[in-house]
Amino acid sequence: MTSYLEFEKPIAALDARIAELRETADTGEIDIDSEIERLAAKSRKLLASTYAGLTPWQKTLVARHPARPHFKHYVAGMFDEFLPLAGDRAFGDDKAIMGGFARMGEQRLVVIGHEKGDTTESRIRHNFGMGKPEGYRKAIRLMDLADRFGLPVVTLVDTSGAFPGVQAEERGQAEAIARSTERCLSLGVPMVSAIVGEGGSGGAVALASAERVLMFEHAVYSVISPEGCASILWRTADRAADAAEAMQVTAADLKRLNVIDRIVKEPVGGAHRDSAQAIQELAKAVREELETLKKLSPLELRAAREARFLAIGAL
């Protein structure tokens, strides 16, 4: 069952009417197939026009949609094999950041990403995708393994930010994020990062400091959430839509500012409406980027990372 966002109410009303007519048609008493098809065409047209003109705040809501694919779905749909690895070898295992060895066709690689969970129980277990220090240290451990064995790294970013709890601060949250970012930049193997939902603050940057950063069409990427920004600037989260507009959080804005390198198209109506297609589009983009990057030496890869970060904001 599709979960509709606030701005999708007209689409929801049409779809509800179509569902009612289909129930009537199933009884076989009257033929209303033509009316159903007319309304279905109207619904598809309205969906396409709505998503063609989304505001930054509406894109933020789409990026947070609970039915969007999560890390486990990307792993199942993009990779032929996946061997998960757990723990940071210092404190424990963080379920918000997952990773391990994977295979994409003939290409062996390491994949790391945020897992938000898709049920109440799993969201709590994965801490809603908000990584703790041990999660970022696990990511560092996996990147070390990738460097040692000459395996490319693919990261899938989807987090509102790193976990802000006292326990995380006590265990060195800032230091863990900084070292994870540093490890991304120092890798001697290709690294491709994809912002697949929310890319929030340092919790996202710690896994997205690659030489190639991809972003889904309706994903968002920012230094702080729109609500957090609004609370700081205007002392109220009610102006989150204004903050999202000012922060330029959308893929189109970030591509123009050289923050990301490539926008990956989503199915009409967002990745949550056709997860399989969205996953395949991302897989295709990742394969293409890895094919290009594998020709570069470790020195050239580090130089490419440095160049892309120095180019951010240069118009």
Side-chain angles (χ1 to χ4, degrees):
M1 180 178 177
T2 303
S3 176
Y4 294 92
L5 299 168
E6 183 69 23
F7 65 86
E8 295 178 313
K9 281 186 175 180
I11 302 166
L14 270 175
D15 288 349
R17 178 59 179 156
I18 292 167
E20 290 174 5
L21 289 174
R22 282 181 174 147
E23 285 183 9
T24 303
D26 288 342
T27 65
E29 296 176 3
I30 52 177
D31 184 6
I32 53 176
D33 288 347
S34 60
E35 177 64 9
I36 290 175
E37 182 51 41
R38 185 185 71 80
L39 289 176
K42 185 176 180 181
S43 176
R44 290 192 296 269
K45 184 177 179 180
L46 182 57
L47 182 67
S49 63
T50 298
Y51 271 77
L54 294 182
T55 67
W57 176 241
Q58 288 170 336
K59 282 184 178 283
T60 303
L61 298 178
V62 175
R64 294 172 176 173
H65 198 290
R68 280 181 79 88
H70 298 297
F71 180 79
K72 66 178 182 180
H73 303 122
Y74 290 108
V75 166
M78 290 174 62
F79 306 110
D80 301 300
E81 294 177 11
F82 177 63
L83 177 64
L85 298 176
D88 66 344
R89 300 296 186 267
F91 180 82
D93 184 42
D94 178 23
K95 300 296 185 183
I97 297 179
M98 311 291 287
F101 294 116
R103 181 173 63 82
M104 179 182 276
E106 298 302 314
Q107 177 66 67
R108 302 283 180 175
L109 49 83
V110 168
V111 60
I112 308 167
H114 299 94
E115 173 60 71
K116 284 186 171 181
D118 51 10
T119 64
T120 300
E121 181 184 349
S122 65
R123 285 172 188 142
I124 293 172
R125 183 170 67 253
H126 293 290
N127 201 35
F128 300 88
M130 295 186 292
K132 298 176 182 177
E134 51 271 25
Y136 293 104
R137 292 182 179 122
K138 173 167 65 176
I140 294 169
R141 184 171 77 85
L142 295 180
M143 285 187 270
D144 286 342
L145 288 173
D147 223 359
R148 184 181 308 166
F149 296 118
L151 301 175
V153 175
V154 173
T155 61
L156 305 172
V157 176
D158 186 13
T159 181
S160 58
F163 182 60
V166 173
Q167 302 93 336
E169 297 299 331
E170 290 174 343
R171 295 199 293 274
Q173 183 74 289
E175 182 266 350
I177 289 173
R179 290 198 180 278
S180 183
T181 305
E182 178 187 43
R183 192 65 186 98
C184 291
L185 295 171
S186 67
L187 278 173
V189 293
M191 182 175 184
V192 176
S193 297
I195 315 297
V196 296
E198 282 187 278
S201 192
V205 174
L207 296 186
S209 297
E211 65 269 22
R212 295 295 290 174
V213 180
L214 318 182
M215 187 170 174
F216 264 134
E217 179 183 6
H218 301 310
V220 293
Y221 191 20
S222 60
V223 71
I224 190 173
S225 70
E227 296 94 331
C229 177
S231 296
I232 293 171
L233 293 181
W234 297 293
R235 300 287 188 261
T236 174
D238 293 340
R239 295 190 63 180
D242 295 328
E245 184 77 38
M247 292 196 307
Q248 303 185 55
V249 300
T250 70
D253 289 327
L254 297 170
K255 178 69 168 64
R256 177 174 53 82
L257 294 168
N258 299 320
V259 175
I260 65 167
D261 303 292
R262 178 172 177 172
I263 298 173
V264 180
K265 295 288 288 183
E266 295 188 30
V268 176
H272 57 282
R273 278 190 164 82
D274 192 342
S275 296
Q277 183 184 338
I279 292 170
Q280 290 309 307
E281 287 293 328
L282 182 61
K284 178 183 175 184
V286 169
R287 280 195 297 267
E288 290 173 355
E289 298 298 343
L290 288 176
E291 188 65 27
T292 301
L293 293 173
K294 73 178 186 180
K295 302 170 186 175
L296 303 180
S297 68
L299 188 61
E300 289 172 324
L301 289 168
R302 295 187 187 103
R305 268 178 227 128
E306 180 180 356
R308 81 167 303 281
F309 279 93
L310 289 175
I312 289 177
L315 302 178

